[in-house]
């Protein structure tokens, strides 16, 4: 069964459409060029609320000069077709002047969490993300907002910003969706040539190697080394960073050269067995395309059995991969 969502563009149209929705609302913010990962966010939103609002907006304030703002794919017709089958009720696809009626002279500094890793590579990025997400949350006033775990640092930034600005929205994280070859779905994957796509598989293989090391009891530094070995073996990949962070506080526990062992600010996350809930992050360029990926990993747990289990998943996940 399909349901064609209502498409609106202006603030006035959005306000009128929202006034017609009763009961609970879920918000899914996207920049369009929707793929299966975005659609999973919408499906999860449908399970959490009575009405689902999707935004499609390539936000200029999160792009620095020289980044791919102008080249970022804009596929509104295809996006609307994709949203028909997953339960979206309302789509807001504004022009920049609808989101920013006056020039954006106010900025939001998310603090130390936004100055490392992605924030070091893209110094203005998280300020722009925090600004647009705060503005849209205030306009839509959803009960819950859903964000993909693939952008793990963005998720941590928004949890911090929404909490400290008392924005009354519950943030819900949705797991990464991967292609059959293990590559995390991303709108930027379409930039990859066939050969580059093959090399891009090494990112998820590296993360799986790191998870196996973590479950076998390796410390954070050894986990980074295990991931780095896979990238080096593949070749043709320009590594930006590999880092291990505490999943709750986003404290950086270990990283490749140039990654500071600091950051965070929240409470550490402990698992029932007393180990620490960690996350391994990776960013790299394959050709001219910058990709990010991450996986969760328990830190401090010594379990050869589960480590072997992860090793077997590495082999099975990458058998019969698509090109």
């Amino acid at each position: 069964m399909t349901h064609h969502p209502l498409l609106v563009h202006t603030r006035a149209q959005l306000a009128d459409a929202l006034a017609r929705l009763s009961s609970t609302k879920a918000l899914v913010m996207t920049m369009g060029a929707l793929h299966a990962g975005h659609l999973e966010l919408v499906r999860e939103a449908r399970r959490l609320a009575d009405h689902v609002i999707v935004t499609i907006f390539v936000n200029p304030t999160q792009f620095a000069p020289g980044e791919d703002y102008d080249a970022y794919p804009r596929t509104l017709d295809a996006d609307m077709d994709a949203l028909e089958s997953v339960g979206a009720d309302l789509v807001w696809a504004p022009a920049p002047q609808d989101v920013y009626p006056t020039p954006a002279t106010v900025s939001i500094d998310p603090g130390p969490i936004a100055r490392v890793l992605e924030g070091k590579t893209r110094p203005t990025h998280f300020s722009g993300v925090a600004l647009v997400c705060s503005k849209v949350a205030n306009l839509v006033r959803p009960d819950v907002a859903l964000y993909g775990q693939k952008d793990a640092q963005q998720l941590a930034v928004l949890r911090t910003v929404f909490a400290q600005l008392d924005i009354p929205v519950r943030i819900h994280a949705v797991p990464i969706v991967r292609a059959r070859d293990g590559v995390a779905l991303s709108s930027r994957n379409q930039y990859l040539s066939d050969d580059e796509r093959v090399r891009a598989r090494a990112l998820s293989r590296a993360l799986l190697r790191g998870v196996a090391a973590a479950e076998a009891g390796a410390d954070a530094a050894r986990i980074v080394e295990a991931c780095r070995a896979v990238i080096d073996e593949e070749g043709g990949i320009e590594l930006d960073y590999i880092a291990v962070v505490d999943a709750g506080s986003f404290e950086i526990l270990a990283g490749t050269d140039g990654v500071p062992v600091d950051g965070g600010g929240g409470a550490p996350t402990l698992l029932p067995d007393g180990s620490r809930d960690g996350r391994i992050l990776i960013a790299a360029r394959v050709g001219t395309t910058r990709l990010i990926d991450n996986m969760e990993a328990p830190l401090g747990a010594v379990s050869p059995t589960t480590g072997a289990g992860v090793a077997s998943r590495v082999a099975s996940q990458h058998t019969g991969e698509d090109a």
Side-chain angles (χ1 to χ4, degrees):
M1 180 177 180
T2 62
H3 167 70
H4 192 74
L6 174 65
L7 173 64
V8 299
H9 298 285
T10 69
R11 284 188 177 217
Q13 291 169 341
L14 174 66
D16 181 67
L18 289 171
R20 300 170 188 271
L21 301 180
S22 59
S23 197
T24 57
K25 299 188 291 292
L27 172 65
V28 176
M29 295 185 64
T30 82
M31 294 204 300
L34 302 184
H35 52 63
H38 295 115
L39 301 184
E40 185 58 30
L41 291 174
V42 179
R43 292 189 189 94
E44 180 69 8
R46 171 58 65 194
R47 290 190 281 266
L48 297 176
D50 298 307
H51 301 289
V52 180
I53 298 93
V54 177
T55 64
I56 296 176
F57 177 61
V58 184
N59 174 41
T61 66
Q62 69 191 67
F63 289 82
E67 292 186 340
D68 59 347
Y69 173 73
D70 291 329
Y72 198 89
R74 291 161 170 84
T75 57
L76 182 59
D77 289 343
D79 294 342
M80 291 298 296
D81 290 342
L83 289 169
E84 279 198 20
S85 63
V86 289
D89 297 295
L90 173 62
V91 176
W92 187 36
Q97 59 267 28
D98 291 301
V99 178
Y100 302 102
T102 59
T105 57
V106 171
S107 63
I108 296 176
D109 179 0
I113 194 171
R115 299 187 191 117
V116 296
L117 303 177
E118 291 301 290
K120 182 177 180 181
T121 301
R122 307 176 68 189
T124 63
H125 175 68
F126 287 124
S127 177
V129 169
L131 179 61
V132 75
C133 289
S134 297
K135 287 170 70 68
V136 173
N138 284 329
L139 289 169
V140 175
R141 298 298 175 98
D143 298 278
V144 59
L146 293 88
Y147 298 96
Q149 188 67 66
K150 179 174 163 295
D151 296 302
Q153 189 173 2
Q154 172 179 281
L155 180 61
V157 164
L158 292 176
R159 288 190 191 280
T160 299
V161 169
F162 280 29
Q164 296 205 7
L165 295 183
D166 295 314
I167 296 175
V169 178
R170 178 168 64 90
I171 290 182
H172 182 84
V174 178
I176 296 170
V177 177
R178 298 182 180 278
R180 289 179 59 190
D181 62 1
V183 175
L185 297 189
S186 169
S187 299
R188 290 185 169 93
N189 287 352
Q190 63 188 277
Y191 299 159
L192 298 168
S193 68
D194 290 345
D195 288 343
E196 290 166 352
R197 175 67 186 225
V198 171
R199 291 201 297 275
R201 299 171 185 170
L203 273 66
S204 59
R205 291 204 310 272
L207 291 168
L208 284 165
R209 182 83 62 86
V211 172
E215 294 195 343
D219 62 15
R222 293 291 183 87
I223 294 169
V224 170
E225 291 174 5
C227 295
R228 179 64 184 263
V230 176
I231 299 300
D232 290 344
E233 289 165 7
E234 177 66 30
I237 296 175
E238 182 184 345
L239 184 65
D240 190 345
Y241 63 78
I242 299 169
V244 176
V245 304
D246 182 281
S249 67
F250 224 79
E251 174 190 358
I252 300 174
L253 306 174
T256 45
D257 292 345
V259 174
V261 182
D262 59 19
T269 306
L270 298 180
L271 300 176
D273 65 357
S275 62
R276 202 172 188 181
D277 190 5
R279 192 160 286 273
I280 312 169
L281 312 173
I282 188 169
R285 288 190 181 275
V286 181
T288 60
T289 305
R290 189 173 185 276
L291 302 175
I292 60 172
D293 200 351
N294 68 87
M295 286 184 188
E296 60 184 337
L299 306 176
V302 179
S303 177
T305 300
T306 56
V310 172
S312 68
R313 292 201 298 275
V314 173
S316 63
Q317 177 166 347
H318 298 284
T319 299
E321 293 171 330
D322 295 334

mmCIF file of all heavy atoms in Angstrom, residues 188-204:
data_model
loop_
_atom_site.group_PDB
_atom_site.id
_atom_site.type_symbol
_atom_site.label_atom_id
_atom_site.label_comp_id
_atom_site.label_asym_id
_atom_site.label_seq_id
_atom_site.Cartn_x
_atom_site.Cartn_y
_atom_site.Cartn_z
ATOM 1 N N ARG A 188 26.740 10.093 -1.272
ATOM 2 C CA ARG A 188 27.996 10.365 -1.977
ATOM 3 C C ARG A 188 28.576 9.112 -2.646
ATOM 4 O O ARG A 188 29.528 9.230 -3.414
ATOM 5 C CB ARG A 188 29.019 10.970 -1.020
ATOM 6 C CG ARG A 188 28.685 12.403 -0.586
ATOM 7 C CD ARG A 188 29.795 13.007 0.257
ATOM 8 N NE ARG A 188 29.607 14.436 0.459
ATOM 9 C CZ ARG A 188 28.980 14.975 1.491
ATOM 10 N NH1 ARG A 188 28.471 14.188 2.428
ATOM 11 N NH2 ARG A 188 28.852 16.293 1.606
ATOM 12 N N ASN A 189 28.022 7.933 -2.364
ATOM 13 C CA ASN A 189 28.555 6.720 -2.989
ATOM 14 C C ASN A 189 28.443 6.770 -4.511
ATOM 15 O O ASN A 189 29.218 6.112 -5.214
ATOM 16 C CB ASN A 189 27.825 5.486 -2.462
ATOM 17 C CG ASN A 189 28.216 5.139 -1.038
ATOM 18 O OD1 ASN A 189 29.140 5.719 -0.476
ATOM 19 N ND2 ASN A 189 27.488 4.217 -0.436
ATOM 20 N N GLN A 190 27.479 7.527 -5.009
ATOM 21 C CA GLN A 190 27.296 7.584 -6.466
ATOM 22 C C GLN A 190 28.458 8.278 -7.165
ATOM 23 O O GLN A 190 28.608 8.170 -8.384
ATOM 24 C CB GLN A 190 25.979 8.273 -6.805
ATOM 25 C CG GLN A 190 25.879 9.716 -6.365
ATOM 26 C CD GLN A 190 24.476 10.269 -6.575
ATOM 27 O OE1 GLN A 190 24.134 10.686 -7.682
ATOM 28 N NE2 GLN A 190 23.667 10.253 -5.534
ATOM 29 N N TYR A 191 29.301 8.986 -6.398
ATOM 30 C CA TYR A 191 30.476 9.611 -6.985
ATOM 31 C C TYR A 191 31.567 8.593 -7.304
ATOM 32 O O TYR A 191 32.498 8.888 -8.051
ATOM 33 C CB TYR A 191 31.082 10.645 -6.031
ATOM 34 C CG TYR A 191 30.200 11.818 -5.640
ATOM 35 C CD1 TYR A 191 30.465 12.539 -4.488
ATOM 36 C CD2 TYR A 191 29.115 12.208 -6.418
ATOM 37 C CE1 TYR A 191 29.681 13.618 -4.106
ATOM 38 C CE2 TYR A 191 28.319 13.284 -6.045
ATOM 39 C CZ TYR A 191 28.609 13.987 -4.891
ATOM 40 O OH TYR A 191 27.839 15.056 -4.527
ATOM 41 N N LEU A 192 31.502 7.393 -6.710
ATOM 42 C CA LEU A 192 32.570 6.399 -6.843
ATOM 43 C C LEU A 192 32.530 5.716 -8.201
ATOM 44 O O LEU A 192 31.466 5.310 -8.676
ATOM 45 C CB LEU A 192 32.438 5.335 -5.748
ATOM 46 C CG LEU A 192 32.563 5.804 -4.295
ATOM 47 C CD1 LEU A 192 32.127 4.691 -3.348
ATOM 48 C CD2 LEU A 192 33.993 6.236 -3.978
ATOM 49 N N SER A 193 33.714 5.562 -8.817
ATOM 50 C CA SER A 193 33.812 4.722 -10.013
ATOM 51 C C SER A 193 33.726 3.259 -9.588
ATOM 52 O O SER A 193 33.748 2.935 -8.391
ATOM 53 C CB SER A 193 35.139 4.976 -10.724
ATOM 54 O OG SER A 193 36.222 4.485 -9.927
ATOM 55 N N ASP A 194 33.657 2.345 -10.551
ATOM 56 C CA ASP A 194 33.571 0.922 -10.221
ATOM 57 C C ASP A 194 34.789 0.474 -9.421
ATOM 58 O O ASP A 194 34.664 -0.251 -8.425
ATOM 59 C CB ASP A 194 33.435 0.087 -11.491
ATOM 60 C CG ASP A 194 32.082 0.273 -12.168
ATOM 61 O OD1 ASP A 194 31.157 0.809 -11.525
ATOM 62 O OD2 ASP A 194 31.957 -0.107 -13.354
ATOM 63 N N ASP A 195 35.980 0.897 -9.849
ATOM 64 C CA ASP A 195 37.194 0.504 -9.139
ATOM 65 C C ASP A 195 37.233 1.120 -7.741
ATOM 66 O O ASP A 195 37.657 0.473 -6.776
ATOM 67 C CB ASP A 195 38.437 0.928 -9.923
ATOM 68 C CG ASP A 195 38.650 0.089 -11.182
ATOM 69 O OD1 ASP A 195 38.046 -1.005 -11.265
ATOM 70 O OD2 ASP A 195 39.409 0.530 -12.060
ATOM 71 N N GLU A 196 36.798 2.350 -7.631
ATOM 72 C CA GLU A 196 36.783 3.006 -6.320
ATOM 73 C C GLU A 196 35.790 2.338 -5.388
ATOM 74 O O GLU A 196 36.042 2.226 -4.185
ATOM 75 C CB GLU A 196 36.458 4.487 -6.490
ATOM 76 C CG GLU A 196 37.588 5.281 -7.141
ATOM 77 C CD GLU A 196 37.148 6.652 -7.613
ATOM 78 O OE1 GLU A 196 35.921 6.944 -7.581
ATOM 79 O OE2 GLU A 196 38.021 7.433 -8.025
ATOM 80 N N ARG A 197 34.683 1.873 -5.930
ATOM 81 C CA ARG A 197 33.696 1.183 -5.108
ATOM 82 C C ARG A 197 34.300 -0.085 -4.500
ATOM 83 O O ARG A 197 34.051 -0.414 -3.326
ATOM 84 C CB ARG A 197 32.466 0.833 -5.942
ATOM 85 C CG ARG A 197 31.408 0.005 -5.212
ATOM 86 C CD ARG A 197 30.744 0.790 -4.104
ATOM 87 N NE ARG A 197 29.846 -0.033 -3.318
ATOM 88 C CZ ARG A 197 28.630 0.350 -2.955
ATOM 89 N NH1 ARG A 197 28.163 1.530 -3.314
ATOM 90 N NH2 ARG A 197 27.877 -0.449 -2.226
ATOM 91 N N VAL A 198 35.096 -0.788 -5.268
ATOM 92 C CA VAL A 198 35.755 -1.986 -4.754
ATOM 93 C C VAL A 198 36.683 -1.619 -3.594
ATOM 94 O O VAL A 198 36.697 -2.271 -2.550
ATOM 95 C CB VAL A 198 36.525 -2.709 -5.881
ATOM 96 C CG1 VAL A 198 37.383 -3.828 -5.302
ATOM 97 C CG2 VAL A 198 35.550 -3.258 -6.917
ATOM 98 N N ARG A 199 37.466 -0.547 -3.756
ATOM 99 C CA ARG A 199 38.366 -0.128 -2.684
ATOM 100 C C ARG A 199 37.590 0.348 -1.455
ATOM 101 O O ARG A 199 38.036 0.159 -0.317
ATOM 102 C CB ARG A 199 39.309 0.969 -3.183
ATOM 103 C CG ARG A 199 40.328 0.500 -4.191
ATOM 104 C CD ARG A 199 41.523 1.426 -4.275
ATOM 105 N NE ARG A 199 41.177 2.757 -4.728
ATOM 106 C CZ ARG A 199 41.069 3.109 -6.008
ATOM 107 N NH1 ARG A 199 41.260 2.206 -6.969
ATOM 108 N NH2 ARG A 199 40.771 4.348 -6.346
ATOM 109 N N ALA A 200 36.427 0.960 -1.682
ATOM 110 C CA ALA A 200 35.636 1.486 -0.566
ATOM 111 C C ALA A 200 35.193 0.383 0.389
ATOM 112 O O ALA A 200 34.926 0.650 1.570
ATOM 113 C CB ALA A 200 34.422 2.240 -1.095
ATOM 114 N N ARG A 201 35.136 -0.843 -0.077
ATOM 115 C CA ARG A 201 34.744 -1.949 0.799
ATOM 116 C C ARG A 201 35.727 -2.144 1.949
ATOM 117 O O ARG A 201 35.389 -2.714 2.982
ATOM 118 C CB ARG A 201 34.651 -3.242 -0.005
ATOM 119 C CG ARG A 201 33.626 -3.216 -1.117
ATOM 120 C CD ARG A 201 33.751 -4.443 -2.004
ATOM 121 N NE ARG A 201 32.855 -4.366 -3.148
ATOM 122 C CZ ARG A 201 32.891 -5.213 -4.180
ATOM 123 N NH1 ARG A 201 33.784 -6.200 -4.201
ATOM 124 N NH2 ARG A 201 32.041 -5.078 -5.187
ATOM 125 N N ALA A 202 36.936 -1.657 1.769
ATOM 126 C CA ALA A 202 37.953 -1.838 2.805
ATOM 127 C C ALA A 202 37.589 -1.098 4.091
ATOM 128 O O ALA A 202 38.046 -1.484 5.168
ATOM 129 C CB ALA A 202 39.317 -1.361 2.304
ATOM 130 N N LEU A 203 36.774 -0.044 4.020
ATOM 131 C CA LEU A 203 36.417 0.687 5.234
ATOM 132 C C LEU A 203 35.624 -0.195 6.189
ATOM 133 O O LEU A 203 35.938 -0.280 7.380
ATOM 134 C CB LEU A 203 35.614 1.947 4.895
ATOM 135 C CG LEU A 203 36.435 3.212 4.594
ATOM 136 C CD1 LEU A 203 37.250 3.054 3.313
ATOM 137 C CD2 LEU A 203 35.527 4.436 4.514
ATOM 138 N N SER A 204 34.605 -0.873 5.672
ATOM 139 C CA SER A 204 33.825 -1.738 6.557
ATOM 140 C C SER A 204 34.629 -2.960 6.984
ATOM 141 O O SER A 204 34.500 -3.439 8.117
ATOM 142 C CB SER A 204 32.511 -2.164 5.889
ATOM 143 O OG SER A 204 32.739 -2.858 4.683
#
